[in-house]
Amino acid sequence: MAETNFKWLTCAGILCCLIWNGFAQQGGSDCIKANAKSCGECIQAGPNCGWCKKTDFLQEGEPTSARCDDLAALKSKGCPMEDIENPRGSKQVLENREVTNRKKGAAEKLKPEAITQIQPQKLSLHLRVGEPQTFSLKFKRAEDYPIDLYYLMDLSYSMKDDLENVKSLGTALMLEMEKITSDFRIGFGSFVEKTVMPYISTTPAKLRNPCTGDQNCTSPFSYKNVLSLTSEGNKFNELVGKQHISGNLDSPEGGFDAIMQVAVCGEQIGWRNVTRLLVFSTDAGFHFAGDGKLGGIVLPNDGKCHLENNVYTMSHYYDYPSIAHLVQKLSENNIQTIFAVTEEFQAVYKELKNLIPKSAVGTLSSNSSNVIQLIIDAYNSLSSEVILENTKLPKGVTISYKSFCKNGVNDTQEDGRKCSNISIGDEVRFEINITANECPKKEQNETIKIKPLGFTEEVEINLQFICECQCQSEGEPNSPACHAGNGTFECGACRCNEGRIGRLCECSTDEVNSEDMDAYCRRENSTEICSNNGECICGQCVCKKRENTNEVYSGKYCECDNFNCDRSNGLICGGNGICKCRVCECFPNFTGSACDCSLDTTPCMASNGQICNGRGTCECGTCNCTDPKFQGPTCEMCQTCLGVCAEHKDCVQCRAFDKGEKKETCSQECMHFNMTRVESRDKLPQPGQPDPLSHCKEKDVDDCWFYFTYSVNSNGEANVHVVETPECPSGPDIIPIVAGVVAGIVLIGLALLLIWKLLMIIHDRREFAKFEKEKMNAKWDTGENPIYKSAVTTVVNPKYEGK
């Protein structure tokens, strides 16, 4: 029994797996739809596709592309795991220095390049199409990190009073920045406008002194690098103190030219690989790309350094840079921009800030007296946010970010690139997911870089694409297995040379449509090519594919399939077998054309342990009762039979009590069972014994109840256990019955009298109430009789005066 149940459970498990697999492939396998002709094409079809390189894997008529399928399908078709090519992607960390932990004022003085804020620094990813590779990136703001600050100032005439306050900026700013870092350098540059009309007046006098009246102004210029970055605040004050205001004609200034040169002229400015801040101070708007046409300048800005003697010399030759061009160069050179502008132009520069990552806008007072506090606030704002950016991705490669910031704040998509409200010493983490959706045409390796905006540190990622299988490198060119060397035998199949086709490259493309070849694709005595289920290629049938990729044609002439077998309960082979060439191959314990006949006898087992209660045979898991009187799942019911109790009642009565209808013939008709007498009903056999048992309660000729059990053992012997004393009912007690009847009659009479009396009282009360109501409503007429005359007549003497 245990073994039978185990086999049944095993078959059920296999059935569930097959049904699940069929549903999984119902919509069509992407692997099969790819129609891959080689292992390389197969693994590019999807991350779950594998290629079976077993030489004899394909059935006759199956195309080479049938070697490509999902792993579960390949295993179910008989391909061993060691013969399945399924390369997986991987990652390898090549450089992984820990982020720097140090405190401001510590004894160790690290060089900027020795400070690490991002981890890891370099890694390699092996990418398979459709399979993402994920790695974690850690960022930690280092304390006492060096800062380079370059102050770029508008020296047009409207900034005259601002220049006076900036002249002492060097030492004052140095003192403030010492609270943030012990390694601070400052530089200074100035700008006005392009030195052509209509931006400035080109008359000789105006070129010498563009200001009016007695103002002593310097000649107009586009951009000057007055002081390269230095740690000497006094030198800043000294050189800036020698600067003079200049002038121009229009209101917008040429500040974009100056920003471009500051960004790209790293050697002249003296930028280090540290935090780079550019403070842009002005009280006017800006010219941008296209405005140069007003001065006849049409060449786009080339984004290169053109400083000679610290002066920009090509302002008359190149147009202003565009905003996008500036964004690119500022990002490439890791420069964070602070726009210190007056209240009037706040709106304009805030819009510009939205276009330039890692930039800030501060409100400059009319005379720049608040510039130091403005710089400190802007720096704190910029440094409290980290935003990751990546270089241009190769075609078909996608990247996604997920951030794990302070206080459990997590974000994805575009917001997953950044974390805000970061303080010095805080550590944040990013989860980066890189996926290749296709292989590059040249299959070369690619390199991308990820870095935090405004920081010089970056993560270098080498991308290596998995576009071929390992077995392809072991291929045999011009292999004899491919029809005398007409192809390369690799991964268990032939990859044909150009101009050759067929599973074994046995045909040239010129022979494909030959009628002689078609003859090899017809079955004997048939005119159908490949049974109308395929194409004849090189004299061999290549079976066509069905929309449901789980349904397959096969055979030399595509005459076989795995979906036209007999069905049961709507399932091919009843779900209990596999359809091969339109014939069901049943699982163990099943038989029949549709595998719908179970050989398991468990459903036929009766409660007494006998198959079909000994009254039939078990066929396909169902009892076929041999005695037509019996029916039911185990032949246990007989609608036309007397019950066991009624059938044996007379024999038990005559043998146990020597009475009943068979008293005279008892010894002849009632000796077919063994009888045992017991004292009471409790002594009778109880349910649970192996032999089928019937409990009986019958009346004898004296209307007494007697109890017995009837059972048949495995040897066919009948056994009866009978209670030796019948239960006879006692006669009725007359006195209580008569007394009860009399008492009942009396009680019923009294009840009727009480009811009558109650009804009469209710009726009288209703009549009296009705009388009282009528009496109250009566209206008696109190008027006098109109024909009535009183008997008394009173006469008064008119002359009587009462005297």
Side-chain angles (χ1 to χ4, degrees):
M1 177 71 74
E3 183 179 353
T4 302
N5 288 336
F6 175 76
K7 290 181 178 178
W8 186 86
L9 289 171
T10 303
C11 292
I14 295 172
L15 173 61
C16 291
C17 292
L18 287 172
I19 294 174
W20 180 89
N21 191 48
F23 279 119
Q25 296 187 359
Q26 192 67 33
S29 166
D30 291 335
C31 308
I32 293 179
K33 288 180 180 178
N35 201 25
K37 299 295 190 298
S38 67
C39 186
E41 292 180 13
C42 177
I43 63 173
Q44 293 180 45
N48 298 318
C49 297
W51 177 271
C52 184
K53 62 182 181 181
K54 185 181 179 184
T55 306
D56 57 351
F57 171 70
L58 295 178
Q59 297 181 35
E60 196 169 16
E62 280 192 299
T64 303
S65 60
R67 291 180 176 274
C68 182
D69 209 335
D70 60 69
L71 305 182
L74 289 177
K75 286 191 286 186
S76 68
K77 292 177 182 177
C79 187
M81 279 302 297
E82 59 269 18
D83 285 333
I84 298 177
E85 284 286 323
N86 181 35
R88 311 311 302 173
S90 61
K91 63 183 177 184
Q92 181 181 7
V93 179
L94 304 177
E95 191 174 337
N96 193 29
R97 297 190 310 274
E98 291 289 333
V99 291
T100 303
N101 289 305
R102 70 165 189 165
K103 299 293 183 180
K104 185 173 179 291
E108 57 173 339
K109 190 71 174 178
L110 297 177
K111 293 182 179 180
E113 56 270 19
I115 299 175
T116 302
Q117 298 184 107
I118 194 168
Q119 181 187 359
Q121 295 78 42
K122 188 175 183 179
L123 63 158
S124 174
L125 300 182
H126 289 76
L127 298 178
R128 177 176 170 179
V129 172
E131 181 186 25
Q133 290 299 319
T134 303
F135 65 94
S136 289
L137 185 149
K138 186 193 300 182
F139 178 84
K140 182 176 183 179
R141 271 191 65 194
E143 190 170 349
D144 198 24
Y145 194 70
I147 299 173
D148 284 353
L149 184 145
Y150 191 84
Y151 195 92
L152 183 60
M153 184 174 182
D154 176 8
L155 284 190
S156 59
Y157 187 77
S158 59
M159 294 287 286
K160 180 181 177 181
D161 53 346
D162 298 81
L163 179 59
E164 295 302 319
N165 285 316
V166 174
K167 287 178 180 178
S168 60
L169 178 66
T171 52
L173 188 56
M174 281 280 186
L175 290 172
E176 286 295 325
M177 294 304 287
E178 281 179 0
K179 300 175 183 178
I180 299 174
T181 176
S182 59
D183 189 356
F184 177 72
R185 299 197 310 166
I186 190 170
F188 184 82
S190 58
F191 67 90
V192 182
E193 188 56 275
K194 288 184 179 296
T195 56
V196 295
M197 282 289 288
Y199 311 110
I200 66 166
S201 175
T202 55
T203 61
K206 289 295 184 181
L207 287 174
R208 289 191 300 272
N209 184 3
C211 300
T212 58
D214 298 333
Q215 298 295 332
N216 184 22
C217 297
T218 189
S219 298
F221 57 92
S222 177
Y223 163 67
K224 283 182 185 178
N225 176 30
V226 178
L227 176 65
S228 297
L229 290 164
T230 178
S231 57
E232 301 177 23
N234 292 328
K235 191 173 182 180
F236 180 94
N237 293 348
E238 178 185 346
L239 289 177
V240 175
K242 296 177 181 179
Q243 300 304 305
H244 295 283
I245 291 297
S246 186
N248 61 321
L249 295 179
D250 62 342
S251 176
E253 313 295 0
F256 276 16
D257 273 341
I259 293 176
M260 178 62 76
Q261 293 304 299
V262 171
V264 299
C265 297
E267 291 186 8
Q268 291 87 335
I269 302 300
W271 292 117
R272 298 176 296 171
N273 284 332
V274 298
T275 300
R276 299 175 177 180
L277 300 178
L278 169 62
V279 180
F280 182 85
S281 175
T282 185
D283 64 348
F286 48 83
H287 285 296
F288 52 89
D291 288 354
K293 292 181 180 179
L294 294 172
I297 303 171
V298 295
L299 283 178
N301 194 287
D302 65 351
K304 296 180 180 179
C305 182
H306 297 288
L307 289 185
E308 293 182 11
N309 297 323
N310 287 323
V311 177
Y312 179 39
T313 58
M314 301 297 285
S315 68
H316 63 288
Y317 191 75
Y318 289 115
D319 193 6
Y320 302 99
S322 65
I323 295 175
H325 200 180
L326 274 184
V327 170
Q328 177 192 351
K329 293 301 179 181
L330 289 170
S331 178
E332 284 179 4
N333 293 280
N334 305 305
I335 296 173
Q336 304 177 61
T337 311
I338 300 172
F339 295 105
V341 297
T342 54
E343 182 70 36
E344 180 183 357
F345 289 94
Q346 279 286 302
V348 174
Y349 281 91
K350 282 183 178 178
E351 290 296 326
L352 181 62
K353 165 190 170 295
N354 294 333
L355 301 174
I356 301 178
K358 292 295 281 186
S359 62
V361 177
T363 303
L364 191 67
S365 61
S366 58
N367 60 1
S368 294
S369 59
N370 68 330
V371 68
I372 292 178
Q373 189 58 46
L374 185 152
I375 292 171
I376 298 296
D377 293 344
Y379 169 74
N380 289 332
S381 173
L382 289 173
S383 60
S384 68
E385 182 177 59
V386 59
I387 303 175
L388 297 184
E389 69 164 0
N390 52 266
T391 55
K392 185 178 179 182
L393 298 172
K395 184 180 178 183
V397 175
T398 58
I399 189 169
S400 63
Y401 296 84
K402 183 176 182 180
S403 60
F404 298 86
C405 307
K406 285 177 60 178
N407 302 322
V409 177
N410 301 338
D411 268 315
T412 55
Q413 299 180 351
E414 280 305 306
D415 287 337
R417 292 174 173 263
K418 64 183 180 180
C419 282
S420 302
N421 301 319
I422 302 174
S423 304
I424 292 174
D426 286 342
E427 183 176 294
V428 294
R429 185 172 65 87
F430 296 89
E431 193 174 272
I432 301 172
N433 189 303
I434 298 179
T435 307
N437 299 308
E438 61 182 68
C439 276
K441 292 182 179 179
K442 297 182 181 180
E443 298 183 11
Q444 75 275 19
N445 296 342
E446 299 279 358
T447 299
I448 62 172
K449 295 181 179 180
I450 299 175
K451 68 175 183 178
L453 280 174
F455 294 86
T456 57
E457 296 175 66
E458 61 189 12
V459 181
E460 182 179 321
I461 306 169
N462 180 253
L463 305 180
Q464 301 180 36
F465 299 90
I466 303 174
C467 301
E468 296 287 348
C469 299
Q470 179 65 33
C471 60
Q472 289 180 264
S473 62
E474 304 166 359
E476 181 185 356
N478 303 318
S479 171
C482 299
H483 198 71
N486 285 314
T488 300
F489 188 77
E490 60 183 27
C491 302
C494 286
R495 181 186 284 188
C496 299
N497 295 335
E498 189 173 352
R500 304 295 298 185
I501 58 174
R503 184 188 288 184
L504 300 176
C505 311
E506 64 271 28
C507 289
S508 70
T509 53
D510 300 331
E511 300 171 335
V512 173
N513 296 321
S514 169
E515 292 186 5
D516 294 336
M517 292 290 180
D518 290 348
Y520 293 103
C521 297
R522 296 190 187 96
R523 300 177 71 180
E524 190 175 353
N525 298 326
S526 174
T527 59
E528 295 178 343
I529 295 177
C530 300
S531 306
N532 288 334
N533 294 325
E535 295 181 84
C536 185
I537 298 177
C538 299
Q540 289 188 346
C541 286
V542 176
C543 304
K544 64 184 179 183
K545 297 177 181 177
R546 289 177 60 84
E547 185 176 349
N548 181 355
T549 54
N550 205 34
E551 299 177 352
V552 178
Y553 289 111
S554 60
K556 182 177 179 180
Y557 303 105
C558 301
E559 74 278 12
C560 295
D561 62 58
N562 65 348
F563 54 89
N564 274 322
C565 290
D566 290 344
R567 295 174 181 254
S568 177
N569 296 325
L571 298 175
I572 296 174
C573 300
N576 302 317
I578 299 174
C579 181
K580 290 188 176 180
C581 203
R582 304 186 179 182
V583 177
C584 287
E585 288 189 5
C586 301
F587 297 144
N589 276 340
F590 289 96
T591 187
S593 62
C595 301
D596 52 351
C597 181
S598 173
L599 300 178
D600 184 12
T601 59
T602 303
C604 300
M605 195 68 67
S607 58
N608 62 359
Q610 293 181 320
I611 293 178
C612 303
N613 273 304
R615 299 173 183 137
T617 57
C618 187
E619 298 177 2
C620 300
T622 303
C623 280
N624 183 16
C625 303
T626 53
D627 188 339
K629 295 187 297 181
F630 290 92
Q631 58 184 346
T634 55
C635 302
E636 75 278 8
M637 294 186 298
C638 178
Q639 300 291 345
T640 60
C641 299
L642 287 174
V644 172
C645 297
E647 182 181 352
H648 299 285
K649 161 187 170 184
D650 292 333
C651 282
V652 172
Q653 187 178 180
C654 78
R655 286 189 61 181
F657 308 113
D658 194 25
K659 56 184 175 181
E661 295 180 1
K662 293 186 178 183
K663 178 180 179 181
E664 302 299 331
T665 59
C666 192
S667 58
Q668 291 82 23
E669 298 181 15
C670 299
M671 303 306 292
H672 58 278
F673 57 84
N674 302 319
M675 190 180 73
T676 303
R677 288 182 172 86
V678 296
E679 295 178 0
S680 65
R681 291 169 60 183
D682 296 336
K683 303 292 185 179
L684 290 173
Q686 299 301 315
Q689 65 178 30
D691 298 334
L693 179 71
S694 297
H695 274 262
C696 302
K697 176 184 178 183
E698 297 292 339
K699 274 190 177 182
D700 61 14
V701 293
D702 298 324
D703 282 339
C704 294
W705 293 101
F706 65 97
Y707 299 88
F708 66 94
T709 61
Y710 184 90
S711 63
V712 179
N713 62 23
S714 57
N715 297 324
E717 297 177 346
N719 295 296
V720 173
H721 290 74
V722 60
V723 178
E724 59 186 8
T725 305
E727 290 183 0
C728 296
S730 58
D733 193 349
I734 301 299
I735 295 175
I737 294 174
V738 172
V741 170
V742 172
I745 294 171
V746 173
L747 290 174
I748 291 171
L750 291 174
L752 291 174
L753 285 173
L754 289 173
I755 292 170
W756 176 81
K757 182 62 177 175
L758 180 64
L759 292 175
M760 291 304 297
I761 291 172
I762 294 172
H763 178 267
D764 290 344
R765 287 183 177 180
R766 285 180 178 175
E767 289 295 322
F768 181 75
K770 183 178 179 181
F771 169 75
E772 288 291 331
K773 184 177 180 181
E774 290 178 354
K775 181 180 177 182
M776 293 293 294
N777 292 336
K779 295 181 179 180
W780 302 101
D781 189 1
T782 57
E784 292 183 356
N785 191 339
I787 60 174
Y788 171 75
K789 286 187 179 181
S790 175
V792 178
T793 301
T794 303
V795 179
V796 178
N797 187 352
K799 297 293 187 175
Y800 177 68
E801 296 180 354
K803 294 180 179 180

